[in-house]
Amino acid sequence: MLKQDFLLKAIERAMNALARALGLMKRGELRQSADLLRAAYDALVRVDREMLESLDVRTLAPLLGPAEVVRVVARLFAAEGQLHEQLKEPERAEQLRRRACELYVVAGVGDD
């Protein structure tokens, strides 16, 4: 019960940071948006951000925990891809969107 409550609060913090980051992105405040995306990752997982990209998704997903967490991390990667698209870094944006898709494949799209 406590573990589930902690997990739900972590997901909520990450999703709140993601929502704020997307709002900042729409206003063109890209540096602040990037900071909030980093905060969202930190709120949700205790895995180093670089490791999130370097590990194979089939190895990474079990480290992240439940499918809901994997899907939120996928959403964060997708948002980070949007950010890099706005920064005129299309190759990096594509890498991040691809990573998001890979995580969705492992976790399933879900309804959360």
Side-chain angles (χ1 to χ4, degrees):
M1 176 87 162
L2 287 176
K3 184 176 180 180
Q4 187 171 2
D5 288 344
F6 176 79
L7 180 64
L8 291 174
K9 287 179 184 180
I11 289 172
E12 184 178 347
R13 283 191 304 274
M15 292 303 290
N16 286 336
L18 173 61
R20 291 193 322 267
L22 291 172
L24 288 168
M25 216 181 294
K26 283 183 181 181
R27 292 195 304 265
E29 298 176 40
L30 303 182
R31 183 176 307 275
Q32 296 89 337
S33 179
D35 291 343
L36 276 172
L37 287 173
R38 271 191 298 280
Y41 283 114
D42 291 344
L44 188 60
V45 296
R46 299 294 182 238
V47 177
D48 180 64
R49 171 63 187 80
E50 286 74 33
M51 188 178 292
L52 291 175
E53 274 191 84
S54 66
L55 288 175
D56 172 81
V57 291
R58 299 229 181 258
T59 303
L60 177 61
L63 292 175
L64 294 175
E68 296 85 2
V69 173
V70 177
R71 285 192 285 273
V72 174
V73 171
R75 286 185 184 123
L76 292 171
F77 272 113
E80 200 175 349
Q82 283 181 258
L83 175 68
H84 283 275
E85 194 68 47
Q86 287 189 15
L87 290 169
K88 308 290 189 238
E89 299 171 351
E91 295 85 15
R92 181 70 178 134
E94 179 60 28
Q95 288 174 333
L96 293 162
R97 286 191 297 260
R98 187 176 309 116
R99 187 62 163 187
C101 289
E102 291 170 348
L103 288 168
Y104 278 125
V105 166
V106 170
V109 175
D111 61 355
D112 52 63

